């Protein structure tokens, strides 16, 4: 009995000591490393200005880089393809309070997702306001206490800390929503509600979410969702019916689908904020996949040094061999030049 | 029981009728210029509380924008900013900002221009009604901003709060210019000022042209003369006062001294009102959609002053010719309207055909 007790104690100790993030380790095996280099000094930030948490990055068809970041105020900056500062967009805009995502659509319109104001905003390529989805909670209600307890019922046109936006080839709008709803919402191109998957409640079943943290739509109209707190990615069809779950890629932080006739998916098992002991050993890498889920390779690792990652929050993969990553910590945007991988000839799955 | 039956039948008929009656309301064809306003690159409109024109056709927009801010003080927290007032010419070209950094601007609710081209702003959070001359200088203030802001905010009360004023009636407010989330302002031919007060209180307050309190009427309730939420106000050439009692889904009409005359209950939830100038006056009233739902309501009614509906136009949505929570209507010209929208953050110029 005494020996048993000791064993039980030892197991308990191990279990207790095991960091909570241990489950975040990706289970995919024998994934080849994709060599890459990071372009030094990519962004030339104007003198006297500082980049903050670089949670949103995107490029347009001209290669311009948009960075939506948490500075003293949340701000949206445009750089050219060489990283030279072009201009600020949305200065003082009512829908900017706490950045979460920026994406550029097929017409080069710029879309921001702000989790502080619960808004998704469409700007023209020149940065003029075109449309807003959601609504900033009115200030006249006063300084609202941080909610606790179950989330209130989700409303069609109101978000609760939304996280990302995407479009299908027809222009329908998809929003991942978010930290205090747990759903994916589909609108038509004019912003009229069509459907949702999930609800305000977190859930583990296919088609349910626990912190849908990012999403993108592939050329077939399938919706790839980074289902972060469920530690998985989910693919939904265009009507938001669940199709596939990928639970072998670690934490579903953020997802990117490249353009062109042969699309690739990039999925980041980002290291957790706060860098708990041991976390760098099991998280921080980005996976490159075929649309059918076949893993091609992985690259990157957690590090505070240039070339490594500090909580990758968003990826731009317009060119699948040049990935722009925005990191929460280290306030950094990097352009990664990937060694091209051979094009798949037959499905391995 | 037998005596009640006809009543019941009548009630059933009434309940069944609005839908049928709506079908009979003619649709007014119209066009929209949704890109009317040309903004400088570093200015963005937020939610449009108010839009109004002056006699030259200049357009004034009072908008919720920027960053409503709470700053931490010693024993109290203080709230600042969040709204701005812009002036454009009649073609929509930006002229200037008025009152930048003003103590009276926090939660833009309405802007109106009086016959002398003075600019009046109504702010739901500072509780100020500000009268500015056409040069933008402050001429008169009604109301006062609360010095500090409680953090966290007290839970909203079901009845909307509001001072228990005259005789302890809820929402009746004080016999003064102490407002609780006021929403609109209007004037009669003598220059008397009528304030819709509002969301927190449930009353109309009347002042003379010098800002001296004359009287107020109403408290929270559903009877004629009482209000749910007072969202907008307009005065006709005879001095009659039209009040958008959105909480009770009706427009109430009072004489100049606040005596109830009649009510119109067939135009949805009146949220914005405008009465045209001239000898043959019309009343526009918006059945605005709530910001959280674009699949209901949204149409604007054109009525005669006696409540006869002339027609309606528009619906909720984000496209041009659709509306996202209209909060303001300018009708200086009967068939050329400006509408300001909360949840689409824009101004549209409508031409009725």
């Amino acid at each position: 009995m005494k020996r048993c007790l000791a064993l039980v104690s030892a197991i308990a100790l191990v279990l207790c000591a095991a960091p909570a993030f241990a489950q975040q380790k990706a289970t995919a095996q024998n994934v080849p490393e994709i060599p890459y280099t990071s372009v030094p000094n990519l962004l030339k930030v104007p003198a006297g200005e500082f980049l903050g948490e670089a949670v949103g990055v995107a490029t347009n068809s001209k290669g311009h880089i948009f960075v939506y970041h948490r500075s003293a105020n949340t701000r949206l900056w445009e750089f050219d393809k060489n990283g030279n500062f072009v201009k600020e967009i949305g200065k003082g805009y009512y829908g900017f309070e706490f950045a979460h995502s920026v994406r550029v659509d097929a017409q080069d319109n710029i879309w921001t997702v702000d989790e502080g104001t619960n808004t998704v905003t469409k700007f023209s390529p020149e940065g003029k306001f075109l449309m807003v989805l959601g609504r900033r909670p009115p200030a006249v209600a006063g300084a609202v206490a941080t909610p606790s307890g179950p989330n209130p019922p989700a409303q069609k046109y109101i978000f609760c800390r939304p996280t990302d936006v995407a479009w299908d080839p027809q222009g329908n709008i998809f929003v991942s929503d978010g930290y205090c709803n747990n759903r994916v919402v589909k609108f038509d191109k004019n912003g009229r509600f069509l459907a949702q998957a999930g609800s305000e409640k977190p859930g583990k079943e296919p088609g349910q979410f626990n912190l849908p943290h990012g999403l993108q739509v592939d050329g077939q109209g399938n919706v790839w969702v980074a289902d972060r707190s469920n530690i998985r990615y989910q693919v939904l069809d265009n009507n938001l019916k669940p199709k596939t779950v990928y639970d072998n890629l670690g934490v579903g932080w953020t997802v990117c689908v490249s353009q062109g006739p042969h699309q690739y998916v990039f999925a980041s098992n980002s290291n957790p904020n706060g860098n708990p002991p041991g976390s760098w050993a099991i998280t921080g890498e980005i996976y490159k996949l075929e649309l059918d889920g076949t893993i091609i390779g992985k690259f990157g690792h957690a590090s505070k040094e240039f070339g490594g990652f500090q909580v990758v929050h968003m990826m731009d993969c317009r060119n699948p061999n040049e990935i722009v990553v925005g990191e929460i910590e280290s306030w950094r945007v990097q352009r990664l030049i990937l060694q091209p991988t051979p094009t798949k000839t037959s499905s391995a799955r | 029981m037998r005596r009640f039956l006809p009543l019941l039948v009548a009630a059933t008929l009434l309940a069944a009728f609005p839908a049928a009656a709506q079908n009979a309301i003619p649709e007014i064809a119209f066009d929209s210029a949704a890109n009317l306003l040309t903004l400088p690159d570093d200015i963005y409109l937020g939610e449009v509380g108010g839009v109004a024109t002056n006699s030259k056709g200049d357009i004034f927009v009072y908008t919720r924008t920027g960053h409503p801010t709470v700053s931490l003080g010693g024993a109290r927290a203080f709230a600042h900013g969040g709204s701005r007032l812009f002036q454009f010419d009649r073609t929509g070209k930006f002229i200037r900002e008025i009152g930048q950094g003003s103590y009276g601007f926090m939660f833009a609710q309405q802007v109106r221009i009086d016959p002398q081209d003075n600019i009046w702003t109504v702010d739901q959070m500072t509780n100020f009604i500000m009268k500015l001359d056409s040069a933008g200088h402050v001429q008169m203030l009604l109301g006062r901003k609360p010095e500090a802001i409680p953090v966290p905010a007290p839970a909203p009360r079901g009845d909307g709060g509001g001072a228990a004023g005259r005789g302890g009636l809820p929402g009746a407010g004080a016999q003064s210019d102490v407002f609780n989330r006021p929403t609109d302002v209007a004037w009669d031919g003598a220059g008397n000022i009528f304030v819709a007060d509002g969301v927190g209180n449930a009353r109309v307050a009347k002042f003379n042209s010098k800002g001296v309190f004359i009287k107020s009427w109403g408290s929270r309730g559903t009877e004629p003369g009482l209000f749910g939420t007072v969202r907008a106000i307009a005065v006709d050439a005879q001095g009659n006062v039209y009040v958008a009692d959105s909480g009770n889904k009706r427009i109430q009409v009072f004489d100049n001294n606040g005596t109830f005359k009649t009510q119109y209950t067939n135009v949805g939830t009146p949220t914005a009102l405008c009465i045209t100038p001239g000898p043959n006056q019309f009343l526009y009233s918006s059945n605005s959609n709530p910001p959280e739902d674009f699949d209901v309501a949204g149409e604007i009614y054109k009525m005669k002053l006696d409540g006869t509906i002339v027609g309606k136009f528009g619906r909720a949505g984000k496209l041009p010719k659709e509306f996202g929570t209209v909060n303001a209507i300018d009708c200086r010209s009967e068939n050329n309207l400006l509408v300001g929208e909360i949840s689409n953050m824009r101004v549209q110029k409508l031409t009725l055909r």
Side-chain angles (χ1 to χ4, degrees):
Chain A
M1 185 63 199
K2 211 173 269 180
R3 288 180 63 190
C4 262
L5 247 180
L7 195 67
V8 168
S9 302
I11 291 171
L13 259 179
V14 167
L15 281 176
C16 289
F21 60 83
Q23 58 178 332
Q24 298 170 355
K25 181 174 168 57
T27 55
Q29 302 285 318
N30 303 319
V31 178
E33 282 286 337
I34 302 174
Y36 72 97
T37 56
S38 179
V39 176
N41 303 317
L42 176 65
L43 298 183
K44 285 81 174 175
V45 173
E49 297 278 18
F50 288 88
L51 205 62
E53 294 186 337
V55 292
V57 289
T59 63
N60 70 8
S61 64
K62 291 186 282 192
H64 283 211
I65 304 165
F66 298 86
V67 183
Y68 190 38
H69 64 103
R70 299 167 183 167
S71 187
N73 288 315
T74 269
R75 300 169 80 177
L76 174 60
W77 286 349
E78 179 179 358
F79 299 84
D80 70 14
K81 63 192 295 185
N82 299 315
N84 297 307
F85 183 81
V86 176
K87 66 177 176 188
E88 175 163 7
I89 293 170
K91 188 173 185 180
Y93 170 58
Y94 190 61
F96 285 2
E97 195 62 56
F98 202 63
H100 202 271
S101 162
V102 61
R103 302 276 189 182
V104 175
D105 69 19
Q107 289 76 42
D108 274 352
N109 298 302
I110 308 148
W111 297 63
T112 55
V113 180
D114 191 279
E115 63 146 308
T117 61
N118 295 340
T119 55
V120 176
T121 306
K122 178 185 185 181
F123 296 92
S124 75
E126 298 75 34
K128 292 291 184 188
F129 170 89
L130 292 179
M131 179 168 75
V132 62
L133 302 174
R135 189 189 184 205
R136 181 176 187 146
V140 73
V144 179
T146 304
S148 57
N151 296 326
Q155 296 171 285
K156 284 185 288 188
Y157 291 93
I158 299 290
F159 304 122
C160 194
R161 298 182 63 193
T163 53
D164 207 355
V165 65
W167 316 271
D168 65 15
Q170 288 72 45
N172 294 306
I173 304 160
F174 299 79
V175 176
S176 49
D177 175 40
Y179 283 87
C180 39
N181 283 325
N182 288 279
R183 61 176 184 166
V184 170
V185 194
K186 180 182 180 182
F187 301 91
D188 76 9
K189 65 179 183 186
N190 301 315
R192 198 165 287 281
F193 177 94
L194 295 176
Q196 74 171 22
S199 69
E200 71 280 2
K201 296 186 185 72
K204 291 179 173 14
E205 298 300 313
Q208 298 180 335
F209 307 93
N210 191 347
L211 209 189
H213 191 254
L215 86 174
Q216 287 281 268
V217 181
D218 67 25
Q220 280 72 55
N222 297 312
V223 185
W224 292 71
V225 185
D227 189 6
R228 181 169 145 190
S229 293
N230 277 333
I231 317 203
R232 66 185 182 185
Y233 292 85
Q234 286 198 65
V235 183
L236 315 174
D237 73 12
N238 195 258
N239 297 313
L240 305 184
K241 298 287 173 282
K243 287 183 76 172
T244 320
V245 169
Y246 296 108
D247 57 3
N248 57 340
L249 303 170
V251 185
W253 267 82
T254 184
V255 64
C256 187
V257 180
S258 69
Q259 303 198 345
H262 190 120
Q263 294 186 294
Y264 298 96
V265 176
F266 294 85
S268 179
N269 179 27
S270 309
N271 64 301
N273 282 311
N275 297 294
S279 59
W280 288 14
I282 57 170
T283 59
E285 76 282 12
I286 296 171
Y287 292 89
K288 181 179 181 182
L289 295 82
E290 301 283 1
L291 286 183
D292 67 3
T294 306
I295 299 172
I296 298 167
K298 65 182 168 71
F299 55 94
H301 60 279
S303 169
K304 291 191 182 284
E305 291 180 83
F306 171 73
F309 306 145
Q310 271 292 280
V311 197
V312 168
H313 194 264
M314 200 156 174
M315 300 173 284
D316 176 273
C317 61
R318 184 175 288 269
N319 175 345
N321 296 316
E322 282 192 19
I323 311 299
V324 182
V325 297
E327 299 159 68
I328 301 181
E329 301 189 13
S330 292
W331 302 354
R332 200 159 50 190
V333 173
Q334 298 186 66
R335 176 187 280 149
L336 313 175
I337 312 297
L338 270 55
Q339 180 177 300
T341 49
T343 303
K344 189 187 68 160
T345 48
S346 64
S347 176
R349 213 179 135 91
Chain B
M1 185 65 200
R2 201 174 281 173
R3 289 183 56 194
F4 281 118
L5 250 181
L7 200 66
L8 204 69
V9 170
T12 311
L13 275 175
L14 273 175
F17 251 64
Q22 265 182 9
N23 291 337
I25 298 173
E27 282 287 333
I28 300 174
F30 71 109
D31 301 305
S32 165
N35 297 317
L36 171 71
L37 302 180
T38 310
L39 288 153
D41 283 344
D42 60 347
I43 291 183
Y44 290 79
L45 286 193
E47 296 182 342
V48 174
V51 61
T53 59
N54 69 9
S55 63
K56 290 187 292 186
D58 282 3
I59 301 162
F60 297 83
V61 180
Y62 189 32
T63 178
R64 303 165 190 167
T65 186
H67 308 286
T69 302
V70 172
S71 51
L72 307 178
R76 301 187 294 176
F78 303 90
H80 316 264
S83 286
R84 299 168 81 179
L85 175 63
F86 300 123
Q87 182 177 357
F88 303 82
D89 73 12
R90 62 186 308 130
T91 68
K93 187 169 148 252
F94 182 83
I95 296 177
R96 61 175 173 157
E97 176 168 6
I98 297 171
Q100 186 165 18
S102 165
Y103 192 65
F105 291 176
M106 279 186 67
F107 196 74
Q109 165 60 30
Q110 200 53 264
V111 60
R112 300 274 195 179
I113 310 293
D114 71 19
Q116 291 75 43
D117 276 351
N118 297 301
I119 308 152
W120 295 68
T121 57
V122 181
D123 193 287
Q124 234 192 87
M125 202 162 173
T126 66
N127 291 329
F128 273 123
I129 317 293
M130 290 176 69
K131 178 188 181 184
L132 307 149
D133 65 18
S134 54
H137 299 124
V138 176
Q139 301 298 302
M140 187 195 292
L141 292 170
L142 299 175
R144 187 169 182 240
K145 176 181 169 178
E147 291 183 5
I149 183 171
V151 176
R157 286 163 47 178
D159 63 2
R166 302 179 312 272
L169 296 172
Q175 299 278 62
S176 73
D177 65 344
V178 175
F179 305 120
N180 190 336
R181 300 183 63 183
T183 53
D184 204 357
V185 64
W187 317 271
D188 63 18
N192 293 309
I193 306 159
F194 298 84
V195 174
D197 178 36
V199 177
N201 284 334
R203 66 167 186 163
V204 171
K206 179 181 178 181
F207 305 84
N208 73 14
S209 63
K210 313 237 178 265
V212 177
F213 178 85
I214 297 173
K215 67 182 297 186
S216 66
W217 69 84
S219 61
R220 199 167 307 282
T222 56
E223 298 296 309
L226 305 185
F227 303 108
T229 305
V230 186
R231 277 277 165 193
I233 194 165
V235 178
D236 70 17
Q238 279 67 52
N240 298 307
V241 183
Y242 298 72
V243 182
D245 180 10
S246 73
N248 291 323
K249 297 182 182 298
R250 65 184 176 189
I251 298 168
Q252 295 195 58
V253 186
F254 301 88
D255 74 12
N256 197 263
N257 294 311
T259 304
F260 175 84
K261 292 179 78 172
T262 183
Q263 61 182 8
Y264 311 140
T265 58
N266 52 349
V267 288
T269 304
T271 309
L273 294 182
C274 187
I275 293 180
T276 60
N280 187 20
Q281 295 189 295
F282 291 94
L283 170 67
Y284 289 99
S285 176
S286 173
N287 177 26
S288 306
N289 67 300
E292 68 274 12
D293 196 347
F294 281 76
D295 298 324
V296 297
E299 75 280 10
I300 297 174
Y301 291 91
K302 182 180 184 182
M303 312 164 74
K304 294 181 182 170
L305 293 185
D306 68 3
T308 310
I309 296 176
V310 177
K312 65 180 171 69
F313 53 94
R315 65 162 188 164
K318 292 183 175 291
L319 286 167
K321 299 177 68 174
E322 295 180 336
F323 304 131
T325 321
V326 168
N327 201 62
I329 303 171
D330 176 273
C331 64
R332 188 175 286 271
S333 160
E334 181 188 331
N335 292 311
N336 290 294
L337 309 182
L338 291 172
V339 295
E341 298 163 72
I342 296 281
S343 42
N344 286 340
M345 301 206 262
R346 67 180 177 187
V347 170
Q348 293 186 70
K349 182 178 186 173
L350 311 179
T351 306
L352 308 189
R353 287 191 250 130

